[in-house]
């Protein structure tokens, strides 16, 4: 479902080219800084077996994620060896708690990135090291900490007890590529007005906004009651959305379609926890720079639930609603000073709350270069 949210391409144009053309033509607006400070998902824990290394992309950087042979600790290092630039994640070998370069056999310690062994040298220089990212594992995911000034973590990723205990099992994942700034995704929670406009048409009318609100479906609607607010100290980095959903047909409510959702946003980039019925969703969007104006593909980690083993990761009704947002995100411009009415007060409040994740030195978009970096 990574190609949703764009108008059908013209004859002879692939959907990939159509998406690139939209990104190229679109005005990006006065964007916030590139990366909010916080925890970001790097890879799923299941992708990193003990004694193995995998490559990953993290905030525009290439990193090597490996799990030590002894304690099983996952570590995140910059991928390129400072010696002659070999990629440690491509052919590198795990030796105890270190990662060995495939080019010359230099070994780098996972906990701090320091080089502890050079096979053909009797002495290892003190300054020989590769960057080691502060990392942790929670909820079946390896996270790494980012702060533009190199600051230490000021909060930890919350652990979902049902996942740690094994009560909720992995059921799969859903991925989308979104052409928007990372801040715009959680901001939807505070944009209460859009929910009853964009998401009220019945899901059977689809996710293409040109056809999703036809008169023939007017007899039935999705109705939403939404509340959003920041949390109090010591969880000032968290916010919470309470959502009550029901469906009416000719004005009569369908009890079986009633859903209550508690969605918790944890920091600006680390993602959140959404409790839906008997399951939990852990959306964690890592911003991935691209050649076009800002892209922030959210790549949700596992979505455990009590559903049958072959159930889809996200039910079709939820996908249809989410893809309506995709069509907005993939084509909109960021407005730094929006024209708001008093009923939009939560949007301004959300932006004030979100601003805590930026610092004076947070990098900003300048110009795009012919690479995957900014």
């Amino acid at each position: 479902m990574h190609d949703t949210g764009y108008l059908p391409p013209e004859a002879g144009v692939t959907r990939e080219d159509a998406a690139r053309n939209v990104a190229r033509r679109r005005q990006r607006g006065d964007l916030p800084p590139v990366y909010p400070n916080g925890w970001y998902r790097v890879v799923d824990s299941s992708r990193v077996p003990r004694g193995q290394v995998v490559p990953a992309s993290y905030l525009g950087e290439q990193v090597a994620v490996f799990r030590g042979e002894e304690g099983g600790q996952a570590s995140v290092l910059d991928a390129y060896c400072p010696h002659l630039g070999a990629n440690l994640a491509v052919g590198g070998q795990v030796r105890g708690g270190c990662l060995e370069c495939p080019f010359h056999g230099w070994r780098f310690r996972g906990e701090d990135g320091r080089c502890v062994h050079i096979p053909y040298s009797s002495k290892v220089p003190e300054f020989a090291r590769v960057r080691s990212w502060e990392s942790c594992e929670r909820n079946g995911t390896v996270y790494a900490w980012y702060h533009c000034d190199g600051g230490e973590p000021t909060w930890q990723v919350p652990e979902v007890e049902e996942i740690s205990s094994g009560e909720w099992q992995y059921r799969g994942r859903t991925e989308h590529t979104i052409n928007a700034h990372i801040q715009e995704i959680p901001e939807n929670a505070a944009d209460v007005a859009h929910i009853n406009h964009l998401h009220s048409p019945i899901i059977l009318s689809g996710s293409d906004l040109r056809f999703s609100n036809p008169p023939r479906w007017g007899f039935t609607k999705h109705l939403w009651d939404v509340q959003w607010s920041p949390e109090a100290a010591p969880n000032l980095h968290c916010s919470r959305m309470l959502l009550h959903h029901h469906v009416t047909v000719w004005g009569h409510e369908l009890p079986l379609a009633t859903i209550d959702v508690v969605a918790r946003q944890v920091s600006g980039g680390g993602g959140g926890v959404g409790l839906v019925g008997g399951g939990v969703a852990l959306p964690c969007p890592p911003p991935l720079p691209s050649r076009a104006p800002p892209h922030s593909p959210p790549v949700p980690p596992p979505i455990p639930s009590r559903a049958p083993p072959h159930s889809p990761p996200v039910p079709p009704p939820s996908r249809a609603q989410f893809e309506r947002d995709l069509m907005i995100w993939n084509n909109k411009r960021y407005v730094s000073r929006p024209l708001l009415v008093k009923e939009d007060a939560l949007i301004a409040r959300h932006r004030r709350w979100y601003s805590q994740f930026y610092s004076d030195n947070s990098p900003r978009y300048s110009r795009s270069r012919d690479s995957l970096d900014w």
Side-chain angles (χ1 to χ4, degrees):
M1 293 178 290
H2 61 281
D3 58 357
T4 57
Y6 296 99
L7 295 177
E10 302 171 358
V13 179
T14 65
R15 187 174 290 275
E16 181 181 3
D17 287 336
R20 289 177 176 171
N21 290 337
V22 169
R24 191 178 302 114
R25 293 193 305 263
R26 192 177 63 171
Q27 296 179 2
R28 70 185 191 190
D30 183 17
L31 292 169
V34 185
Y35 305 127
N37 299 323
W39 291 96
Y40 290 88
R41 172 195 174 275
V42 185
V43 296
D44 293 341
S45 297
S46 60
R47 284 195 56 207
V48 195
R50 186 183 291 253
Q52 298 294 316
V53 58
V54 297
S57 181
Y58 171 71
L59 305 186
E61 303 286 347
Q62 297 302 307
V63 295
V65 186
F66 74 97
R67 193 178 298 281
E69 294 176 312
E70 299 169 357
Q73 173 92 18
S75 300
V76 182
L77 302 179
D78 274 358
Y80 299 112
C81 179
H83 177 215
L84 283 175
N87 192 320
L88 301 173
V90 181
Q93 299 295 317
V94 177
R95 307 295 185 193
C98 299
L99 183 58
E100 183 180 272
C101 176
F103 202 6
H104 297 88
W106 291 32
R107 293 182 186 175
F108 299 92
R109 195 161 55 193
E111 60 190 69
D112 56 8
R114 183 175 177 180
C115 181
V116 296
H117 176 69
I118 300 176
Y120 55 86
S121 176
S122 59
K123 184 178 181 180
V124 177
E126 286 289 331
F127 54 83
R129 65 178 63 231
V130 66
R131 179 173 184 177
S132 175
W133 295 83
E134 180 85 23
S135 62
C136 72
E137 281 192 84
R138 297 284 191 281
N139 311 318
T141 302
V142 177
Y143 294 90
W145 171 263
Y146 166 80
H147 194 284
C148 65
D149 298 316
E152 295 295 320
T154 54
W155 65 85
Q156 297 300 321
V157 178
E159 186 171 9
V160 179
E161 183 178 348
E162 289 83 356
I163 298 177
S164 302
S165 65
E167 181 181 353
W168 287 342
Q169 300 297 320
Y170 177 80
R171 297 302 186 201
R173 61 192 294 139
T174 299
E175 298 186 6
H176 291 87
T177 299
I178 300 178
N179 186 9
H181 191 279
I182 188 174
Q183 178 179 325
E184 299 192 77
I185 299 169
E187 189 172 290
N188 253 26
D191 185 4
V192 177
H194 99 281
I195 295 179
N196 272 313
H197 181 78
L198 184 65
H199 300 294
S200 64
I202 194 69
I203 57 169
L204 297 176
S205 62
S207 57
D208 190 325
L209 303 185
R210 298 171 300 167
F211 314 113
S212 62
N213 195 15
R216 68 177 182 273
W217 289 106
F219 65 92
T220 179
K221 290 179 181 266
H222 296 276
L223 296 178
W224 315 79
D225 297 314
V226 185
Q227 300 176 39
W228 177 88
S229 63
E231 294 188 15
N235 296 321
L236 297 176
H237 59 283
C238 300
S239 67
R240 190 177 295 264
M241 179 183 71
L242 307 178
L243 186 149
H244 175 75
H245 163 269
H246 57 280
V247 176
T248 61
V249 179
W250 283 299
H252 299 284
E253 183 174 339
L254 297 180
L256 294 179
T258 299
I259 300 175
D260 289 293
V261 177
V262 179
R264 191 185 192 206
Q265 175 72 18
V266 182
S267 85
V273 176
L275 302 177
V276 187
V280 60
L282 300 174
C284 295
L288 304 180
S290 74
R291 295 174 58 187
H295 283 61
S296 296
V299 185
I303 301 179
S305 73
R306 295 192 178 93
H310 300 293
S311 63
V314 177
S318 299
R319 290 203 300 266
Q321 293 288 15
F322 184 76
E323 287 167 6
R324 292 178 183 177
D325 288 309
L326 281 181
M327 203 162 189
I328 298 293
W329 285 329
N330 285 345
N331 294 277
K332 76 185 293 293
R333 180 181 74 169
Y334 180 80
V335 181
S336 58
R337 296 183 178 181
L339 177 60
L340 303 176
V341 296
K342 67 177 182 178
E343 289 80 5
D344 294 322
L346 282 181
I347 297 176
R349 189 180 181 193
H350 186 277
R351 292 194 175 189
R352 289 193 298 271
W353 170 79
Y354 200 93
S355 66
Q356 67 179 296
F357 306 117
Y358 300 124
S359 304
D360 291 339
N361 296 323
S362 293
R364 289 185 172 271
Y365 291 103
S366 53
R367 61 184 180 87
S368 60
R369 295 178 289 186
D370 191 19
S371 72
L372 292 180
D373 196 6
W374 285 90

